[in-house]
Amino acid sequence: MQYRTLGRTGVQVSALALGAMNFGAIGRTTQDEATAIVDAALEGGINLIDTADMYGQGESEEMVGKAIAGRRDDIVLATKAYMPMGDERNRRGTSRRWLVTALDESLRRLGVDHVDLYQMHRWDPATSDEETLSALTDLRRAGKIRYFGSSTFPAYRVVQAQWAAREHRLGRYVTEQPSYSILQRGIEADVLPVTAEYGLGVLAWSPLASGWLSGAVRRGREVGTHRSSVLPERFDLAVPANRARMDAVEALAKVADEAGLTMIQLALGFVTAHPAVTSALVGPRTLDHLHAQLAAADTVLPADVLDAIDAIVAPGVDLAAHEKFDTPPALLDPALRRR
């Protein structure tokens, strides 16, 4: 396992990190299975575990808490807030009112007295940066969090938050967690240059592109992945973007074969090769999934392989731009771009 410094924090984290979104009902993973995955991940050198309050409406946090009981100090523990946690209108967002409550509830579910990294799951257009950063700074001073970060923020919002922290003399986000894979490279054009400029650690989620790069999705083969059963529209070849992804996957499979790599090694090796990326988040549902991903822990792609990837999917290109989660609101809501 390789280890990198998380931004400018001085904290050393593994190049592969364990994402716990699939723990519980979302991934049909039991507590025993989740604990076995955590055991194997730690044994394989992973030391960062990432979850969120909204994964299974708290179920993932509870399962992570049970799995890490007795070894909390060996783990860099991260969770998130922002997404709705129930029907009540104020149990969501990044207001001080909600974050203070949300963090206490996350700590209770995790069975710990602090988290190492508390991330805002999305940018909240209803709340000012000053409001959110002030609350997070106070929670850090109270010892309930060590650092805080953002997740899936548009590049300009990453910049705005850094400026707000400086202007109001508040703590700043020290990490960003964006979606990044060979098939979704848009952040190379904006987010990654910004995180590098401000010295943010980057925890890349979906490096296997929702299973497209797992090796299980190939032309002429029935797609039987868990994600395809949950989100079939993302694998429907009647959709032009999905046809483009399939063409890319077939070409990438040839590159992997010629290099003596699995598709997973190619995909994870690509993400961790970017100098702005700290860790790639893997989200296994089974031990077999994790072992296949751990096999990529020391993968270093040579220049000719990276060149071949660039020739298939150009730098800065998203093959499925409509699936992005950091699209500026004005591109989604016509009222925001009309007088």
Side-chain angles (χ1 to χ4, degrees):
M1 181 65 68
Q2 304 171 49
Y3 295 87
R4 285 94 178 267
T5 304
L6 186 63
R8 295 173 182 164
T9 67
V11 177
Q12 297 293 298
V13 296
S14 47
L16 297 183
L18 179 63
M21 186 179 74
N22 280 319
F23 288 6
I26 294 177
R28 302 194 301 269
T29 305
T30 67
Q31 181 64 60
D32 287 344
E33 290 169 332
T35 299
I37 288 171
V38 169
D39 290 344
L42 297 179
E43 184 177 346
I46 288 176
N47 74 338
L48 191 157
I49 298 178
D50 176 82
T51 184
D53 57 359
M54 62 84 62
Y55 296 161
Q57 289 290 289
E59 186 179 21
S60 173
E61 287 183 326
E62 291 177 352
M63 295 176 78
V64 168
K66 292 175 182 176
I68 67 172
R71 47 189 173 181
R72 166 69 183 88
D73 292 342
D74 300 330
I75 296 162
V76 178
L77 182 60
T79 192
K80 312 180 197 73
Y82 163 78
M83 301 294 191
M85 289 294 287
D87 296 331
E88 204 280 316
R89 66 185 63 196
N90 284 312
R91 290 183 60 81
R92 66 194 69 193
T94 62
S95 68
R96 174 182 291 272
R97 183 182 191 275
W98 172 234
L99 290 180
V100 171
T101 299
L103 178 58
D104 281 344
E105 292 182 0
S106 286
L107 294 177
R108 175 181 52 77
R109 287 188 292 263
L110 288 162
V112 298
D113 62 4
H114 75 281
V115 293
D116 297 296
L117 178 62
Y118 198 42
Q119 301 156 105
M120 301 301 94
H121 214 148
R122 296 289 187 272
W123 168 55
D124 181 3
T127 308
S128 70
D129 289 317
E130 181 185 2
E131 165 84 2
T132 301
L133 293 171
S134 175
L136 292 170
T137 300
D138 287 347
L139 291 170
R140 186 181 64 184
R141 288 171 178 158
K144 293 183 176 183
I145 59 179
R146 297 293 184 259
Y147 307 98
F148 43 92
S150 58
S151 176
T152 322
F153 276 31
Y156 77 99
R157 294 311 316 179
V158 175
V159 174
Q160 285 295 117
Q162 295 292 315
W163 287 356
R166 182 181 301 173
E167 178 183 359
H168 300 289
R169 298 184 179 182
L170 298 168
R172 70 183 190 99
Y173 294 130
V174 300
T175 61
E176 161 60 16
Q177 187 176 134
S179 172
Y180 184 45
S181 72
I182 294 175
L183 304 183
Q184 296 284 75
R185 301 184 59 173
I187 66 167
E188 293 173 344
D190 44 38
V191 173
L192 293 182
V194 165
T195 60
E197 175 70 21
Y198 286 98
L200 274 65
V202 172
L203 308 175
W205 61 271
S206 200
L208 299 182
S210 297
W212 276 96
L213 299 174
S214 67
V217 179
R218 297 293 300 274
R219 179 172 283 120
R221 184 187 304 172
E222 183 178 355
V223 181
T225 64
H226 175 68
R227 188 58 60 89
S228 67
S229 66
V230 176
L231 298 168
E233 67 279 4
R234 293 196 178 186
F235 298 86
D236 181 359
L237 294 183
V239 178
N242 293 339
R243 292 199 296 273
R245 283 194 281 204
M246 184 62 80
D247 290 343
V249 165
E250 290 300 310
L252 291 166
K254 293 179 182 178
V255 172
D257 286 343
E258 291 173 1
L261 300 168
T262 66
M263 281 290 283
I264 290 174
Q265 288 174 316
L266 185 77
L268 295 180
F270 167 82
V271 169
T272 57
H274 197 292
V277 171
T278 311
S279 303
L281 285 160
V282 297
R285 289 194 308 110
T286 69
L287 271 176
D288 286 343
H289 290 167
L290 176 64
H291 289 314
Q293 293 155 1
L294 283 173
D298 292 320
T299 299
V300 177
L301 301 184
D304 62 325
V305 171
L306 292 170
D307 289 342
I309 292 172
D310 286 349
I312 295 167
V313 181
V317 170
D318 290 316
L319 293 188
H322 63 289
E323 293 178 6
K324 297 288 285 183
F325 290 92
D326 62 353
T327 303
L331 299 186
L332 302 174
D333 183 356
L336 296 177
R337 56 179 188 269
R338 298 173 184 172
R339 289 188 182 274

